[in-house]
Amino acid sequence: QGRLVESGGGSVEAGGSLKLSCTVSGYSDSNSCVAWFRQAPGKEREEIGCLYVGSGNTLFSESVEGQFDISSNAAKNEVYLEMSFLKSQDTAAYYCAATKSGCVRNCLRAEYQSWGQGTQVTVSS
């Protein structure tokens, strides 16, 4: 069973940047995918991007395309969510999740088995 731990959340002013980290264990094989989700108060959880562990390729939802980026450091078992030009609408709890299978076609549509505890991002205008 894998384990994921997010860190790096906090408060930032609108227009600023923030980088979240997800320390991942148990999902280093090439068929795995790691995704980032967010959930704002009163809203449904939204998948915003994902990473193919084997290739390093990424996909993003339209809502954050061009604004957020995902990268990884295999040596540290970390996956990052780099957020730029933050808006108040980006305020949410952010979660990383991972799966070992079923994400090859489209990691934005995969079922994720392991989840982190979440980290809060608050953007003030």
Side-chain angles (χ1 to χ4, degrees):
Q1 189 74 11
R3 183 168 179 260
L4 296 90
V5 180
E6 302 97 336
S7 60
S11 296
V12 62
E13 291 187 354
S17 300
L18 202 61
K19 183 177 180 179
L20 305 182
S21 299
C22 176
T23 302
V24 185
S25 60
Y27 291 93
S28 60
D29 62 283
S30 60
N31 291 327
S32 294
C33 297
V34 177
W36 285 95
F37 293 76
R38 67 182 178 185
Q39 188 165 20
K43 295 189 176 181
E44 293 188 357
R45 186 176 63 198
E46 173 191 19
E47 184 173 1
I48 54 177
C50 52
L51 169 82
Y52 293 93
V53 171
S55 65
N57 292 335
T58 55
L59 291 176
F60 296 94
S61 66
E62 288 186 10
S63 63
V64 303
E65 179 80 51
Q67 181 191 0
F68 290 5
D69 195 17
I70 295 174
S71 59
S72 64
N73 184 326
K76 293 186 176 181
N77 293 320
E78 292 182 344
V79 176
Y80 309 105
L81 179 67
E82 299 174 72
M83 305 182 290
S84 304
F85 307 109
L86 286 163
K87 308 179 287 287
S88 57
Q89 302 94 301
D90 296 315
T91 293
Y94 284 74
Y95 301 86
C96 59
T99 182
K100 290 187 176 182
S101 63
C103 63
V104 172
R105 280 195 161 191
N106 187 336
C107 58
L108 285 176
R109 298 185 182 274
E111 295 285 336
Y112 288 87
Q113 287 81 44
S114 294
W115 292 79
Q117 81 288 351
T119 187
Q120 179 67 34
V121 173
T122 302
V123 183
S124 58
S125 55

